[in-house]
Amino acid sequence: MPKDTLDSLPRPPQDLSGGPEKLRAAIGFIDSMMSEMDGLVGRVAPQPHHRIASHVMAAYLDGRMVTPSSAVAASGVPYATATRRLAELIDDGLIEQRAKTRTGKSFTLHPSAELIDRFGQFADRLPRLADENLRPADGGTDYYFGGSYRASQVIGPVVPLAQPLGLSGGLQVLVHGDPTFLAMSNLKRQFEQIVGSPIHQRAFSIDRLREEALRDATRKTSRYDIIAIDLPWIGEFASRGVLSPLDEIMQVDRLDPSDFHTAGWQAAHWGGRPYGVPNQTTPELLFWRTDLFAEAGLTAPQDCDAVLVAAEALHAPARGRYGIAWNAARGTALGHQFMMTCAGFGQPVLDLPKVAGGFGAMSLADRNSRPMFDQPRALEAAEYLMELLRFSPPDILSMSWYERIRRYAAGSVAMAYGYTLLAPYFDCNPTSPAHGATGFLPHPSGSGAPNVAPVGGYVLGIPANIAPERREAAVEALIVFTSAAAQKQVVMEGSRSQPRYSVGADPEVRALSPIFEAVDAMSWRDELQFWPRPPVPAITSIIQACGEELHDMLRRIVTPREALGRVQARAEAALTQD
């Protein structure tokens, strides 16, 4: 092949939403369905736009060259018509032309970023559409994209590595101190036998975890082989060279990317590259006491107005019961809470583009962003938090992640915003009044916005400064820890957070708690979203600004409008300095 044609060849994608295989399956479905439709009534009605776009996408995935003539031939319509349809796709910005030779007289065709994104979104929605429209007549909930989860599909035990890792000093892991990582710690002996190496796990609180990870990145050689990263840190850690891009050090397909909840897998990326593997995909939900609601004649609170009505009705301080608990402690805790509350009102905290299912946060590495705290819906979200104060425990302004769930588990609050990873406090505790009497909802919405379940949790990554001789072993351990079999084992040990569809659908897992079916249903409805906390490098500073200025608002030192003005200014400064 002449040298001047090499650059015009399409490059197979290193990573795409849901994985290339998922996209190939979606394209095959489109082609097969159109062929079936052509013969349905005996009159061929080709769809040239779709056929051309599908042909270009398929070639892109396979790394093949597409010429205008081959695209026209794939259209299924006469040459003149096909040429016009191709020109329309080019004008719409869905297909790009690139010079094939130095003369510029011939071109190759390539899908634009927008077309790739559209196909990715379709591939994500396709299983849900099949589930909604092809579900068996008996309404069974075990239906999954044309099949069902039967006993034969129970995930088996973790298979030990054929070759033990044999790491000098054992495998060093830096994690967050939460119930999921505690469950992994309880399984330490089993995992050591599986990987063939001692495992040493250090656990920190969220702020100390970030500090230790950044401190470790300044060392000549990392002290850790694997580190846990909170999802919003991905942009910062990738930009600062803290993490190794996974596509440089391993075959990403070995992770079975299409099995991860879409939002969790997408959130592990920066600049289109994966920097971690989801170990927890834990949405923040509204937990509510189904028994107390039934006694009071209340229904599930689907929107913020209903939350306030229920909180007032169930607020009984004289009896030691309060309406609702949430993150209102100054700093990180309140910062996260406010950003997720903004999402409930349909307001992203940055000027993200609208896409199907919400807002797009996959291209943040390629664009400048503007904070959006000066918007009317952000003000509504702030005012909503002010209203919640009326029905919250008296120490709400010092309440954060664990305190709010401990109160809910103890029965002293009727509702609580909380991550599923903390659900074991009541879901695994038969003595808790909330045990077996809890409903799980995405964030109730405000201003008519769609329901959103903001995704949190941690991914596991490999430090960029890991000793080269340890990298291969760290990759093998990473694959084991994040496998479906290992994740199921952690769930059976008491975790209520799982990042994989297959684990959430395992019959043995589903028998443990209704939380798994609830979260899977939210994923199919596109309610699991990671855009509420967009992972730009400055996100930690923005979260801190929210948590400090909004705390002054809750203490009534400043008005909601004044607090948001201060957050807007601090966020703009943080993004400028980044």
Side-chain angles (χ1 to χ4, degrees):
M1 180 180 294
K3 181 179 184 299
D4 57 4
T5 67
L6 292 178
D7 291 338
S8 61
L9 276 172
R11 296 181 179 178
Q14 294 176 321
D15 180 74
L16 291 167
S17 172
E21 291 307 318
K22 191 173 183 179
L23 282 176
R24 288 188 181 97
I27 292 169
F29 175 83
I30 293 174
D31 292 344
S32 298
M33 182 59 68
M34 286 193 297
S35 296
E36 290 292 328
M37 293 296 293
D38 284 347
L40 186 63
V41 294
R43 290 182 178 270
V44 177
Q47 297 287 326
H49 291 106
H50 292 292
R51 292 183 185 276
I52 292 172
S54 175
H55 178 72
V56 172
M57 271 299 301
Y60 171 68
L61 291 170
D62 294 337
R64 292 183 286 105
M65 181 183 294
V66 178
T67 62
S69 59
S70 67
V72 166
S75 68
V77 295
Y79 181 86
T81 302
T83 301
R84 290 195 298 270
R85 299 299 174 258
L86 173 59
E88 289 167 356
L89 290 170
I90 293 171
D91 291 342
D92 290 343
L94 298 177
I95 291 179
E96 298 174 351
Q97 297 184 101
R98 298 178 192 170
K100 183 179 178 182
T101 63
R102 290 192 179 94
T103 64
K105 293 182 179 180
S106 59
F107 299 88
T108 55
L109 303 178
H110 306 261
S112 68
E114 182 178 356
L115 184 62
I116 295 171
D117 185 59
R118 289 188 185 185
F119 268 87
Q121 292 175 29
F122 174 75
D124 292 337
R125 293 195 298 270
L126 183 57
R128 173 173 55 82
L129 293 172
D131 180 45
E132 291 175 352
N133 293 283
L134 301 178
R135 182 186 294 273
D138 62 6
T141 57
D142 289 338
Y143 184 77
Y144 179 80
F145 198 14
S148 63
Y149 286 108
R150 300 177 295 275
S152 61
Q153 293 171 300
V154 171
I155 297 170
V158 189
V159 178
L161 294 177
Q163 295 294 328
L165 296 184
L167 280 169
S168 174
L171 187 73
Q172 306 292 327
V173 187
L174 176 66
V175 301
H176 181 236
D178 61 49
T180 294
F181 285 117
L182 176 61
M184 291 183 67
S185 181
N186 293 340
L187 295 167
K188 179 174 180 288
R189 290 186 181 276
Q190 291 94 315
F191 281 121
E192 286 178 339
Q193 293 175 357
I194 290 165
V195 300
S197 173
I199 299 173
H200 305 289
Q201 184 169 293
R202 297 187 70 193
F204 290 92
S205 64
I206 184 171
D207 290 329
R208 289 191 61 203
L209 174 63
R210 177 175 173 271
E211 292 170 3
E212 174 62 14
L214 292 176
R215 185 183 303 114
D216 183 66
T218 65
R219 300 175 179 128
K220 182 178 180 181
T221 303
S222 174
R223 292 181 180 176
Y224 306 102
D225 301 302
I226 296 175
I227 59 176
I229 307 101
D230 193 17
L231 288 181
W233 305 342
I234 289 291
E236 177 188 14
F237 279 32
S239 300
R240 295 175 67 167
V242 176
L243 297 170
S244 299
L246 295 184
D247 54 359
E248 282 188 359
I249 61 175
M250 66 179 296
Q251 292 293 325
V252 176
D253 285 348
R254 293 183 66 196
L255 298 167
D256 191 12
S258 62
D259 188 35
F260 290 107
H261 283 290
T262 303
W265 179 246
Q266 289 179 340
H269 289 65
W270 183 252
R273 308 181 74 181
Y275 283 86
V277 188
N279 185 66
Q280 301 174 18
T281 297
T282 174
E284 183 176 83
L285 308 179
L286 180 73
F287 304 141
W288 57 288
R289 287 283 298 279
T290 55
D291 54 341
L292 298 181
F293 271 68
E295 291 171 8
L298 298 167
T299 58
Q302 301 291 341
D303 58 43
C304 291
D305 289 339
V307 170
L308 293 172
V309 168
E312 182 175 18
L314 299 173
H315 190 61
R319 289 186 284 161
R321 190 180 73 203
Y322 303 92
I324 190 166
W326 44 291
N327 268 4
R330 188 178 185 86
T332 303
L334 177 57
H336 283 267
Q337 184 73 67
F338 178 63
M339 294 172 76
M340 294 182 178
T341 304
C342 282
F345 280 81
Q347 180 59 64
V349 298
L350 300 179
D351 57 338
L352 304 178
K354 285 189 175 182
V355 299
F359 296 87
M362 287 293 288
S363 59
L364 289 170
D366 304 319
R367 62 190 297 268
N368 295 321
S369 300
R370 177 187 180 277
M372 300 294 281
F373 296 101
D374 55 358
Q375 301 299 304
R377 291 195 176 194
L379 180 60
E380 290 183 66
E383 292 171 340
Y384 170 67
L385 295 185
M386 293 292 289
E387 288 293 308
L388 289 184
L389 277 179
R390 298 165 51 203
F391 314 116
S392 301
D395 59 342
I396 188 65
L397 295 185
S398 61
M399 192 172 290
S400 60
W401 322 97
Y402 295 94
E403 291 84 2
R404 58 181 177 171
I405 301 304
R406 289 193 182 106
R407 292 292 186 85
Y408 180 79
S412 61
V413 294
M415 294 179 288
Y417 285 102
Y419 282 120
T420 58
L421 72 86
L422 298 179
Y425 278 101
F426 58 86
D427 202 52
C428 298
N429 180 8
T431 66
S432 169
H435 180 76
T438 293
F440 306 99
L441 290 171
H443 266 240
S445 61
S447 292
N451 288 111
V452 173
V455 168
Y458 290 83
V459 300
L460 296 180
I462 295 178
N465 59 335
I466 188 174
E469 67 273 13
R470 301 178 69 89
R471 185 178 295 118
E472 184 177 351
V475 166
E476 295 304 317
L478 181 68
I479 293 171
V480 169
F481 292 161
T482 59
S483 67
Q487 290 296 322
K488 177 185 175 179
Q489 198 165 349
V490 173
V491 168
M492 301 303 288
E493 185 64 23
S495 171
R496 289 298 179 263
S497 168
Q498 53 81 23
R500 290 182 176 272
Y501 289 114
S502 60
V503 177
D506 183 288
E508 294 177 348
V509 169
R510 290 215 174 193
L512 294 175
S513 171
I515 198 168
F516 298 109
E517 183 174 352
V519 171
D520 270 1
M522 293 175 203
S523 184
W524 294 125
R525 295 194 299 264
D526 283 339
E527 291 171 348
L528 296 191
Q529 298 287 336
F530 78 96
W531 59 261
R533 296 179 304 165
V536 291
I539 194 64
T540 300
S541 297
I542 296 173
I543 291 171
Q544 196 67 23
C546 291
E548 292 172 356
E549 303 300 343
L550 271 293
H551 199 264
D552 286 348
M553 176 197 76
L554 296 176
R555 295 167 59 204
R556 291 185 167 80
I557 295 174
V558 297
T559 67
R561 195 177 297 275
E562 290 171 335
L564 292 178
R566 295 181 181 184
V567 173
Q568 180 73 17
R570 288 178 63 176
E572 289 175 355
L575 288 169
T576 301
Q577 294 171 5
D578 177 53

